[in-house]
Amino acid sequence: DTGVSQDPRHKITKRGQNVTFRCDPISEHNRLYWYRQTLGQGPEFLTYFQNEAQLEKSRLLSDRFSAERPKGSFSTLEIQRTEQGDSAMYLCASSPWGRDTDTQYFGPGTRLTVL
Amino acid sequence: GENVEQHPSTLSVQEGDSAVIKCTYSDSASNYFPWYKQELGKRPQLIIDIRSNVGEKKDQRIAVTLNKTAKHFSLHITETQPEDSAVYFCAADSIAKLTGGGNKLTFGTGTQLKVEL
């Protein structure tokens, strides 16, 4: 499968614990996005990388959230001191440089459940 | 901020009938309008998109129309099949392209389409 991949697919944690998710974009896609999707809603933008630079962050991204893309390839999203309200599907998407740069390809997501 | 409204929230059709899902957006500077299909527990998959320089685009049984003046766009699925059953999301890009040329998408709340035999 050469699409966007995410790991883990499911994560159950207790409130107050830290969790980290990984996203591997499509090879050579230089733009990478994180979205959050709650039940019955569409994805909501969290943050965006161009290569290794994090260029935009949503107000949804509290200071407990941090994202990195150290070498401009895979990205990690860490949530510290998780809260029950963090329970959601965390989706990653990537898009290419050049033609059709608007098109975003999504990964399967990481479903987070905070108990 | 940007807002995208999507209707209906649920849609049930008989196999072979057509289905239409409508979206409106608030940002007059939006230029890109994708539609995603999401099956239960799976990733959103792009099924069709349209850019503001065209009014209609078709791909086999799927078509999208765009009215920039009225700020609405619609998804049309003809000859529906049971495998079309899924949640469909519309989206629009934001007024300000993200720094570096990235594209923030604002999504509608989704339409649960059920195609009945």
Side-chain angles (χ1 to χ4, degrees):
Chain A
D1 186 355
T2 56
V4 178
S5 62
Q6 292 186 245
D7 183 71
R9 296 291 307 277
H10 304 274
K11 179 70 177 179
I12 300 174
T13 191
K14 293 182 179 179
R15 189 175 53 186
Q17 298 295 305
N18 299 344
V19 294
T20 300
F21 311 141
R22 176 179 170 127
C23 169
D24 287 87
I26 294 172
S27 178
E28 298 180 357
H29 278 195
N30 71 325
R31 293 179 179 145
L32 187 148
Y33 306 80
W34 284 98
Y35 289 82
R36 181 172 67 188
Q37 185 177 27
T38 54
L39 200 61
Q41 300 296 316
E44 295 176 291
F45 171 80
L46 292 179
T47 190
Y48 153 68
F49 290 85
Q50 177 155 293
N51 299 313
E52 67 277 6
Q54 185 177 19
L55 299 182
E56 295 283 343
K57 291 197 295 185
S58 164
R59 286 170 293 180
L60 293 175
L61 215 64
S62 77
D63 56 8
R64 296 184 298 105
F65 288 70
S66 62
E68 295 181 342
R69 195 182 182 198
K71 298 182 179 179
S73 56
F74 73 91
S75 175
T76 58
L77 178 68
E78 180 183 17
I79 309 175
Q80 296 182 324
R81 305 181 303 282
T82 53
E83 301 173 357
Q84 287 184 327
D86 297 332
S87 295
M89 175 76 85
Y90 290 85
L91 292 162
C92 175
S94 68
S95 67
W97 175 265
R99 186 179 176 183
D100 293 335
T101 56
D102 296 327
T103 304
Q104 295 183 25
Y105 300 90
F106 280 85
T110 295
R111 181 167 295 284
L112 173 66
T113 302
V114 182
L115 301 176
Chain B
E2 303 83 15
N3 186 47
V4 175
E5 294 190 358
Q6 182 171 349
H7 300 281
S9 57
T10 60
L11 179 59
S12 184
V13 299
Q14 294 292 314
E15 183 180 10
D17 287 350
S18 295
V20 179
I21 302 171
K22 298 181 179 182
C23 289
T24 59
Y25 60 98
S26 60
D27 181 356
S28 57
S30 292
N31 285 313
Y32 175 65
F33 308 90
W35 286 88
Y36 286 86
K37 174 184 180 183
Q38 188 175 30
E39 297 176 72
L40 191 63
K42 296 191 176 180
R43 73 185 73 198
Q45 284 191 306
L46 179 72
I47 55 171
I48 196 167
D49 57 16
I50 192 167
R51 291 174 172 81
S52 60
N53 56 344
V54 298
E56 184 173 358
K57 183 177 178 181
K58 190 173 182 180
D59 182 4
Q60 299 183 339
R61 296 187 297 108
I62 295 173
V64 58
T65 58
L66 171 65
N67 183 328
K68 282 219 74 177
T69 302
K71 291 191 283 187
H72 67 71
F73 57 113
S74 301
L75 177 71
H76 304 253
I77 306 174
T78 59
E79 301 172 25
T80 53
Q81 301 167 4
E83 51 265 39
D84 294 330
S85 297
V87 179
Y88 292 80
F89 291 99
C90 63
D93 68 348
S94 65
I95 184 170
K97 287 280 189 179
L98 297 175
T99 305
N103 199 13
K104 170 187 168 184
L105 296 177
T106 299
F107 285 81
T109 51
T111 296
Q112 174 75 62
L113 173 65
K114 183 176 181 182
V115 180
E116 298 177 333
L117 297 171

